[in-house]
Structure formats: structure tokens, C-alpha cells
DNA sequence: CATGAAATTGGTAGCGCTGCCAAAAAAATC
DNA sequence: GATTTTTTTGGCAGCGCTACCAATTTCATG
């Protein structure tokens, strides 16, 4: 088997080598249309011999519709997005689609620029996080004619398709759970809510339910920057310094909550007797801590899977609510 | 159900609308070649008016060399790879390159299939993890003529370029550190080493140094499946059940080590007096635990950045060793 | 003004493939 | 064996853009 270095073999060369026409090679390779077994063998032998690799750029240009799926995600540091990508890429690979991605850093303007760059690749679909986009992004996506999937949120109007769960409801249920357990002096530790609008929706649902039960949020500590274990720890420390008599704290997610948990471990604050901790996401690590973290488990991988499934099946516009699960754990 | 694709605006239509030739529009849009300010304004106005989005598929086919960079990575669950992607995607975006990815699940055969699929997009470069590839993968990559970057390992011969650090040296230094601290009864808890060959190299370097100091590995517990906090916890439990008199345990990475740490917290095993714990990766969470984790911090994001930089600058073949940093922490 | 140099511009041949159509070959039917 | 039907095949026009080259305009300069 010879491979020519750097000289790209074209379909025409394969056709010559196999002694057949170009379209025949194309049909064999795509297993589309009809051809005899003998022809197929001859073509495949030539492909093998020449080390031919089809050029999908050319193929996509010639045919209608690409097999590229574009992901425009806020971050790769927040485990949520790798999880979504993981779910989606498995489905996409099975269906011979190719995933392309860009990271917006939670910046709507950057999202617009990156979405535009993505559309230049004429993807079959664009997958985004949530419903909050600039006017320009919306207009561009609409005009593109490609499928759009907004992921990880269902609290709003979908441009085309949406897959996820209600962040607002997650916030409400978290509050209801804490109230049922008898906590009344409840605080919040979160990260930048303007950027992470889904965290903002959870917080707003949380406060709504607290308010409805005459137990308004006692105090809050919002840290600038991304969510992290360290920020969670720091946030709880500051919150307790200001408002020591809290009996429960809701965190913007499990990373932050783990930081809070570690703070309590380090300071000898007994959980949940002295202070209850509640998170969001249902990370694996939260189940392996000495006391399993009380949290809400979200279908992150499934969100990616379903989103990809909708795209590969070219499903009609729809919103899929995958729900979430409250994990009682031992910290609340 | 049928979905109409909107009629996409082409460069030719923009040219007509602006009253100029196609090549002029192309030059203006790419800011390449010369054109007058007046022409540029006319073209940009037409682009704006028609909502033209260039078709990069066509552009790539017509020109030589694409601006796609293909990542073929083992996993998205192991934070290492999102971190690498994060570093790389920032650099690539700045340089108007587009990242494409596939996930191999640590399966070399799947890596070969996915690499082949990637090459069909004629990427500027293919970025892989480590040096262990099938013969077919190597042959194909060599023949492709595109740049190749092997990441996260420098213990071997690079196909073209490599960026990372020595896993073997990391293992050796970890062992040396534990020996310096006086630990002699040392165990190991790891995950599937056949698949994660870099973890295998660390382990082998670790054992080598132990052996050289007459303190051979006392016992080991290898868990099937991927690394996880839960597996680390389980692994340490099993290891200690079998060999209770260990004074230190080396884990295949920080996830596993955290599991071990939590096991000790839950069982009241005092760290590091009764048992020392040493990890690998330098995750943020390991710095926020009540006792900071003793571990080796690896330049994951930088690996991605440098790898991307090499590609966008079309650097000559080379191996870049970014090194690593031993963090003493408080668990060993 | 003339003349050559420099800056702009447009025309057009591909890039490598797919989709359509007609031609050829093979199989089925009378 | 002639005819019809079915299966296989090849030719070729694009897909939308870029690269190259030649044509045109503008600018300097004597």
C-alpha cells in the first residue's frame, strides 16, 4: 500500500485507476444509487491502493446541506458544557455529522460574532446555550435558514427548537425543599448573574418561592467572575461574616456549593445542623463527599443527546423539557 | 415535515448589487489586494443590505488550505481535555481558525476512524492526545500532509509537533517527593491504564523511582473504567482493606485522589499522619479542600494555547516541553 | 501634455465533488 | 431472437468562491 506524501488524491484519479467514471466512484463511496459488486470491489481496491480520502469540503459544496453542527457555548470551564458536548458528539458521530465549536465566555457580543463565523460554514444546525441572544444574533440565525437548538433552558420562546429544563422551576423547587425542611434564615452565594442568565433564573425562582412563604432571602453574596470552588468558599465566608445566623445557604451551582462545604469542614461548622447547604447540577463529586451534597441533578448529557437527535432527524420545531431531579443528599 | 432553506445570498449577487465585479467583492471582504475606499463602502453597504454571509466551504475549496483545526480527543469527561480545548480555542478564534472535534473514548481504533473522518475536511492541522496511535492512523496522518500536534506527552517520537510534558518524569518526581518525606510503604490507586497510556507512563515512572530507592510499590488497586471521584474512594477502600499498613498512596489523578481524600475524611483517617495522599493534575478543587491536595500541576490550558500557536504560525516541526509543577499541599 | 508607473478593477478558469440525464449493458419477457 | 424493462454506467454542468491575468483608470513626473 503506497501513500503519496502531501499530494492529495482526487476522486478523478481513483476513477482512472479503477477504470470507471467519476460518478461511479462517488456512488460506491456514498453507497448511494446502484452499481455492481464487481465495480464496487474495483473501486474500493483503487481507493485502498491510492489512499484516497474523500474531500468533504468539495462534497458539501456540491450537494445541498452540510453535515456540520455548530456549537456556540459560553464556556468550557463550567462542566455543564463539556457534558452537553459529550452527549451530542456521541449521537452526531454515529450519524456521521461533525461537531464544530466556539466559546463565547458568556459574552453576547462575542456570541454574535462567533455565530456569524459559524454560519459561514453553512452548518446543518447551530446549537446555543439558552434564550438570551443579541438582536443581531437572532436576526442572523433566523435568516440563515439552518436549524437552531437552544439548550439548557426552556423558560422562554424558542427560535426553533429547545432542549433542557426550567431553571426557574429548579430554583423554586430548591427553595420549597429547604422550606419543607424547616429552614427559614436562608442566604445565597452566587457568581456573576448578568452573564450566566440561567443561574439568574434559578435565583429568581428561588427568591420567588421564599417570598411566597414569608421567608424572604436573608442575605446574598455575589462574586464577580466565573463559578468555582474557591469562589464558593470565599462567598460563604463573607456571607457568614455579615450574617452569622443563617440556617441554610443556596449556591449558584455545585462547584460553589462544594467550596461552601469545604469551608464548613475547615471551620468545624456542622452540616446540616448548624448550616444547611444546597447546590445545583448534581455533579458526581457531590455524591462522593463524606456527606452527599443536597442538590438538583440536571440532565446535561441527555440535553446534548436529545439536541443532536433532533438535528439528525430534522425534527419539527419543538421544545423538549427533560426535567431535573432533586437529590436530598445529606447537607440539607 | 419539510423545512425550506432560505435562498442564500451569494457573492455574485453582492457584486451585482454593488455594481462591481466578483473579485472586487472578494478582495474587499478579505481585505486582501487593493481597492479604493469608495468601492469598499459600496461593497460593504451591499453586504449589509443583503445580509450576505460568505460561504467558507466554497472559499476553502477555491483557495489552498483550510482554517479548520481538528481535535481528536479521548474524552470530555476528563477535565484535561476541555482545558486543552479551552486554551486552544481562544488562540484559534483570535486567528480566525475554526475548531472541530471528535471524541475517541480512549479507543485507538475509534481514533483511527475519527481521524479519517476529520481528514476529509482537509483541516490545517490535526491535534491528538499523546503518542500512542494505530499504524493506520500514523500512516494516514503522515500521508495527509497536514500539520499534526500530539499533545500532553513528550515521552516518545513526535510525528510532526508535540506539546506537553513528561508523564514519566511526573511519576518519578511524585515518587521522589514521597520518599523525601519519609514514606516507605507506598500504594497506588489507578484507573484503566491500558486505555489512558499517559497515566500508565506516570505509574511506570513512579514505580521506577520507588524501586531505585529500595521501596518497591507495596500494593496497587486498579479500577476498570474511567477515573472518577467515586472510583478513587472505592479504590482506596479496597486497597486499605488488603494492605492496611500503607503510609502513602499515589493516585492516577486528582479526581481519584479526591475520592481517596473523602474516604479518609469519612473514616476519620488522619491525613497525612496516618496516610498521605498524592494526586496528579493540580485541579482547582484540590486547592480549596480543607487540606490542599499534594499533587502535580500540569499546564493543560497552556498546552492547548501553545499547540494552537504552533499551528497558526505554521512553526517548524518541534517538541515543546512545558514542564509541570509539584505542589506540596498538605496531604503528603 | 505626454508618458510610464502604480493603483484598481473585471473576467474567467478552476477547486473536487454531486446530481441529473442520457447511454450502455444486462436481465426479463414475449 | 426481438423487444421491453431494469440495472449500471459515464459525461458534464454547476456549487460559490479565489487566484491569476489582463484591462482599465489614476497618478507622477518631466
Amino acid at each position: 500500500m503506497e501513500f503519496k506524501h502531501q499530494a492529495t488524491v482526487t476522486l478523478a484519479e481513483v476513477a482512472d485507476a479503477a477504470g470507471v467514471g467519476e460518478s461511479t466512484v462517488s456512488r460506491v463511496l456514498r453507497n448511494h444509487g446502484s452499481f455492481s459488486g464487481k465495480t464496487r470491489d474495483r473501486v474500493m481496491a483503487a481507493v485502498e491502493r491510492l489512499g484516497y480520502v474523500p474531500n468533504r469540503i468539495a462534497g458539501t459544496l456540491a450537494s445541498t446541506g452540510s453535515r456540520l453542527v455548530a456549537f456556540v457555548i459560553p464556556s468550557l470551564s463550567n462542566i455543564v458544557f463539556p457534558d452537553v458536548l459529550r452527549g451530542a458528539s456521541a449521537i452526531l458521530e454515529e450519524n456521521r455529522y461533525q461537531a464544530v465549536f466556539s466559546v463565547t465566555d458568556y459574552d453576547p457580543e462575542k456570541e454574535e460574532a462567533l455565530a456569524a463565523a459559524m454560519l459561514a460554514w453553512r452548518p446543518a444546525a447551530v446549537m446555543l446555550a439558552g434564550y438570551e441572544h443579541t438582536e443581531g444574533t437572532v436576526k442572523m440565525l433566523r435568516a440563515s435558514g439552518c436549524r437552531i437548538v437552544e439548550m439548557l433552558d426552556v423558560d422562554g420562546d424558542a427560535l426553533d427548537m429547545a432542549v433542557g429544563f426550567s431553571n426557574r422551576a429548579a430554583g423554586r423547587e430548591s427553595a420549597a425543599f429547604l422550606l419543607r425542611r424547616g429552614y427559614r434564615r436562608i442566604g445565597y452565594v452566587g457568581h456573576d448573574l448578568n452573564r450566566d442568565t440561567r443561574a439568574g433564573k434559578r435565583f429568581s425562582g428561588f427568591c420567588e418561592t421564599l417570598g411566597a412563604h414569608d421567608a424572604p432571602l436573608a442575605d446574598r453574596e455575589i462574586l464577580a467572575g466565573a463559578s468555582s470552588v474557591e469562589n464558593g468558599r470565599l462567598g460563604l465566608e463573607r456571607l457568614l461574616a455579615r450574617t452569622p445566623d443563617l440556617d441554610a445557604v443556596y449556591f449558584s451551582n455545585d462547584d460553589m456549593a462544594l467550596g461552601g462545604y469545604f469551608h464548613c469542614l475547615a471551620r468545624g461548622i456542622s452540616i446540616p445542623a448548624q448550616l444547611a447547604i444546597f447546590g445545583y447540577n448534581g455533579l458526581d463529586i457531590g455524591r462522593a463527599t463524606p456527606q452527599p451534597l443536597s442538590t438538583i441533578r440536571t440532565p446535561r448529557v441527555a440535553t446534548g443527546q436529545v439536541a443532536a437527535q433532533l438535528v439528525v432527524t430534522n425534527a419539527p420545531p419543538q421544545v423538549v423539557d427533560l426535567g431535573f431531579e432533586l437529590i436530598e443528599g445529606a447537607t440539607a
Side-chain angles (χ1 to χ4, degrees), chain A:
Chain A
M1 227 185 332
E2 288 282 315
F3 284 99
K4 284 191 285 180
H5 187 62
Q6 295 222 343
T8 28
V9 183
T10 67
L11 185 140
E13 297 178 72
V14 174
D16 279 352
V20 300
E22 290 185 42
S23 28
T24 301
V25 177
S26 176
R27 271 183 300 249
V28 170
L29 258 35
R30 285 177 300 146
N31 194 30
H32 176 274
S34 65
F35 45 83
S36 69
K38 201 185 66 184
T39 304
R40 187 195 53 232
D41 294 344
R42 278 237 301 279
V43 169
M44 293 316 277
V47 164
E48 194 71 15
R49 183 149 34 89
L50 301 179
Y52 171 68
V53 176
N55 184 331
R56 265 204 196 257
I57 299 279
T60 303
L61 181 61
S63 61
T64 51
S66 81
R67 291 182 95 79
L68 284 174
V69 172
F71 291 82
V72 182
I73 55 173
S75 158
L76 279 167
S77 315
N78 188 337
I79 188 66
V80 168
F81 302 105
D83 276 348
V84 169
L85 289 181
R86 178 152 60 97
S89 80
I91 303 293
L92 293 178
E93 275 161 20
E94 281 168 20
N95 292 274
R96 303 188 310 118
Y97 278 74
Q98 184 58 67
V100 182
F101 76 94
S102 303
V103 179
T104 70
D105 288 321
Y106 290 99
D107 177 348
E109 300 297 333
K110 205 166 167 191
E111 180 182 76
E112 179 169 342
L114 291 173
M118 286 296 197
L119 289 177
W121 290 100
R122 297 293 188 270
V126 179
M127 327 285 262
L128 307 145
Y131 286 119
E132 283 68 43
H133 315 295
T134 66
E135 213 177 297
T137 305
V138 169
K139 193 170 157 195
M140 200 166 46
L141 290 174
R142 281 237 163 83
S144 75
C146 71
R147 302 308 305 271
I148 307 161
V149 185
E150 292 166 289
M151 303 184 296
L152 298 169
D153 196 357
V154 297
D155 298 325
D157 291 315
L159 282 169
D160 177 10
M161 304 187 279
V163 182
F165 38 84
S166 169
N167 283 272
R168 203 176 302 283
R172 281 198 293 254
E173 283 203 24
S174 303
F177 174 79
L178 292 176
L179 291 169
R180 272 203 309 280
R181 292 269 170 154
Y183 303 108
R184 306 297 289 182
R185 291 282 296 165
I186 302 176
Y188 175 77
V189 173
H191 60 283
D192 191 343
L193 300 177
N194 295 323
R195 288 157 75 88
D196 189 340
T197 56
R198 285 165 297 288
K201 288 179 177 181
R202 293 194 292 277
F203 181 51
S204 123
F206 187 82
C207 292
E208 188 190 308
T209 296
L210 287 193
H213 289 77
D214 279 328
L217 194 74
D219 195 6
R220 74 170 89 168
E221 176 67 29
I222 311 283
L223 289 97
S227 76
S228 69
V229 182
E230 183 52 35
N231 270 347
R233 181 174 181 146
L234 188 62
L236 182 58
E237 184 173 19
R238 289 188 190 157
L239 189 72
L240 290 180
R242 204 167 47 225
T243 316
D245 63 334
L246 295 174
D247 56 18
V249 176
Y250 179 50
F251 289 81
S252 54
N253 66 32
D254 279 1
D255 291 301
M256 301 287 284
L258 282 170
Y261 177 68
F262 293 151
H263 177 74
C264 293
L265 285 188
R267 295 294 176 88
I269 299 171
S270 128
I271 298 172
Q274 272 181 273
L275 186 73
I277 284 179
F278 199 92
Y280 167 84
N281 251 344
L283 299 188
D284 287 346
I285 190 172
R287 284 201 297 255
T289 42
Q291 292 167 283
L293 187 63
S294 301
T295 186
I296 288 216
R297 177 151 58 219
T298 54
R300 301 182 295 279
V301 175
T303 294
Q305 288 172 332
V306 172
Q309 206 72 63
L310 290 177
V311 169
V312 304
T313 59
N314 194 28
Q318 63 192 283
V319 174
V320 182
D321 186 345
L322 295 174
F324 49 78
E325 182 194 357
L326 194 145
I327 300 178
E328 296 209 352
T331 62

